[in-house]
């Protein structure tokens, strides 16, 4: 799965996700990536999210929308909201990760796997890519 | 100038340094950096968040190292079925497609669904017909095939493994 989330200079957010799904999938199985609210969501009032992981769990938790809703309705820091929702995924037995950007320009990750192919850049000069946890 | 920001991913999972050669690590990082730069360039020059997202994802879909577009994993029947979604935070318009087999860049089709506006989620043959009507580029399904992904499927079948045993990453 690949994904991107962005905040532009006009203050607008967008999210996108694309995937081949799960190796050996059958019966027309669909994961979270194309499901708006599970693997992909964007709302200028809160955040933009793209997810990658064990799709069945991300669908059950409604990960992308859940993170955005928490940010819209509470004062939680974005990293906390993302970590809390990913903890719910883990609690149900799922693994994976999310990327998100906020209207304030934060570009964040949260994942509970040993690695996630990832990168982020901002107008403040941040530009980084990483693979393994702790990098 | 207003702030801009961008985050990207190419999948998550049991990705361990000891299972990766230095060359593979460098190659993945270079691909991520190139995609990040493509999106950053759009944003730096005043482009929209949607265009930045598209620029990043098209690049990653075209790279066989990642499980999307060319290089996608195989289904049980040794086909590649692709899914994608895109959403505009300004209007909460969205487009998504699932189960397509001949669309070179599924994210472009998802965006076309969003732009059309009548529906959010199209699937399978219907989505492919919609793509044809919109002039979205198609390819022979063999374009998506990579030997590494086929090997993963064969190992999975031969050893009755799960997808997570044969792939380092999800999605």
């Amino acid at each position: 799965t690949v994904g991107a989330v962005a905040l532009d200079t006009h203050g607008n957010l967008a999210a996108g996700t694309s995937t081949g799904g799960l190796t050996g999938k059958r019966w027309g199985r669909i994961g979270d990536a194309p499901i708006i609210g599970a693997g992909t969501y964007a709302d200028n009032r809160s955040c933009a999210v793209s997810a990658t992981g064990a799709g069945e769990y991300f669908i059950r938790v409604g990960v992308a929308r859940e993170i955005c809703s928490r940010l819209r309705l509470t004062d939680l820091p974005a990293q906390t909201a993302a970590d809390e929702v990913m903890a719910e995924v883990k609690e149900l037995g799922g693994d994976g990760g999310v990327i998100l950007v906020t209207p304030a320009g934060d570009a964040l990750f949260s994942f509970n796997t040993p690695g996630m192919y990832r990168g982020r850049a901002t107008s403040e000069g941040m530009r980084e890519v990483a693979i393994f946890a702790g990098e | 100038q207003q702030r801009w920001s961008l985050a990207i991913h190419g999948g998550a999972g049991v990705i361990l340094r000891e299972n990766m050669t230095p060359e593979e690590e460098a190659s993945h990082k270079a691909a991520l950096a190139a995609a990040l730069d493509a999106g950053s360039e759009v944003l730096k020059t005043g482009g929209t968040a949607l265009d930045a997202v598209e620029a990043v994802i098209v690049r990653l879909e075209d790279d066989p190292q990642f499980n999307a577009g060319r290089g996608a994993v195989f289904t049980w029947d040794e086909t590649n079925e692709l899914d994608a979604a895109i959403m505009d935070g300004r209007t909460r318009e969205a487009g998504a497609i699932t189960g397509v087999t001949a669309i070179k860049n599924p994210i472009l089709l998802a965006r076309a669904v969003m732009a059309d506006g009548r529906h959010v989620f199209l699937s399978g043959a219907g989505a492919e017909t919609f793509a044809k009507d919109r002039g979205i580029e198609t390819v022979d399904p063999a374009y998506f095939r990579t030997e590494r992904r086929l090997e993963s499927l064969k190992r999975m079948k031969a050893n009755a493994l799960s997808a997570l045993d044969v792939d380092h990453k999800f999605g």
Side-chain angles (χ1 to χ4, degrees):
Chain A
T1 305
V2 305
V5 290
L7 166 72
D8 64 31
T9 56
H10 314 287
N12 295 317
L13 299 174
T17 313
S18 182
T19 190
L22 199 64
T23 298
K25 63 185 180 182
R26 282 191 276 187
W27 311 301
R29 180 264 185 191
I30 300 166
D32 63 305
I35 297 180
I36 301 300
T40 307
Y41 200 75
D43 180 345
N44 274 8
R45 300 172 299 176
S46 54
C47 67
V49 177
S50 171
T52 175
E56 283 70 10
Y57 298 94
F58 282 70
I59 294 169
R60 290 170 189 155
V61 174
V63 166
R65 174 64 191 260
E66 178 70 17
I67 293 170
C68 289
S69 294
R70 289 187 190 202
L71 290 179
R72 185 164 61 88
L73 300 171
T74 74
D75 294 326
L76 280 177
Q79 186 69 60
T80 304
D83 290 346
E84 283 183 359
V85 174
M86 285 308 299
E88 279 189 36
V89 171
K90 185 80 176 172
E91 202 174 288
L92 296 183
D95 284 341
V98 294
I99 55 173
L100 65 149
V101 294
T102 68
D106 306 301
L108 305 169
F109 311 109
S110 179
F111 58 99
N112 57 27
T113 50
M116 179 162 83
Y117 297 111
R118 61 197 187 276
R120 58 183 170 178
T122 70
S123 51
E124 274 63 53
M126 175 189 282
R127 179 184 178 274
E128 60 182 35
V129 296
I131 298 176
F132 310 106
E135 267 192 289
Chain B
Q1 186 186 338
Q2 295 288 306
R3 294 186 71 175
W4 58 265
S5 68
L6 175 67
I8 71 172
H9 72 78
V14 188
I15 308 166
L16 300 168
R17 184 166 265 141
E18 53 265 37
N19 293 336
M20 209 178 232
T21 66
E23 292 76 20
E24 286 171 335
E25 182 180 338
S27 177
H28 279 89
K29 283 187 171 173
L32 289 168
L36 191 66
D37 289 346
S40 298
E41 193 56 35
V42 172
L43 296 169
K44 266 182 213 169
T45 54
T48 67
L50 279 171
D51 284 342
V53 163
E54 179 184 301
V56 169
I57 293 180
V58 163
R59 200 159 188 127
L60 295 174
E61 285 177 337
D62 289 344
D63 190 323
Q65 296 179 110
F66 301 101
N67 175 23
R70 186 161 171 250
V73 298
F74 281 85
T75 67
W76 187 262
D77 298 320
E78 299 190 7
T79 60
N80 305 104
E81 291 180 358
L82 311 169
D83 311 327
I86 194 163
M87 186 162 183
D88 183 348
R90 184 176 63 89
T91 58
R92 275 179 285 161
E93 291 172 321
I97 52 100
T98 185
V100 297
T101 59
I103 306 302
K104 181 172 181 283
N105 292 108
I107 195 69
L108 299 182
L109 179 52
R111 189 165 179 181
V113 171
M114 179 175 74
D116 180 75
R118 281 176 290 177
H119 306 294
V120 169
F121 203 174
L122 301 183
S123 67
E128 306 255 9
T129 301
F130 179 88
K132 191 175 174 189
D133 291 347
R134 293 297 179 284
I136 304 285
E137 185 177 0
T138 58
V139 289
D140 186 304
Y143 166 81
F144 301 109
R145 173 194 179 104
T146 60
E147 289 309 310
R148 184 168 70 98
R149 299 295 192 196
L150 189 57
E151 168 60 24
S152 292
L153 177 68
K154 286 180 175 170
R155 246 181 331 124
M156 178 186 175
K157 285 182 173 178
N159 301 309
L161 299 172
S162 78
L164 306 188
D165 295 317
V166 297
D167 272 325
H168 289 303
K169 59 179 184 279
F170 295 119

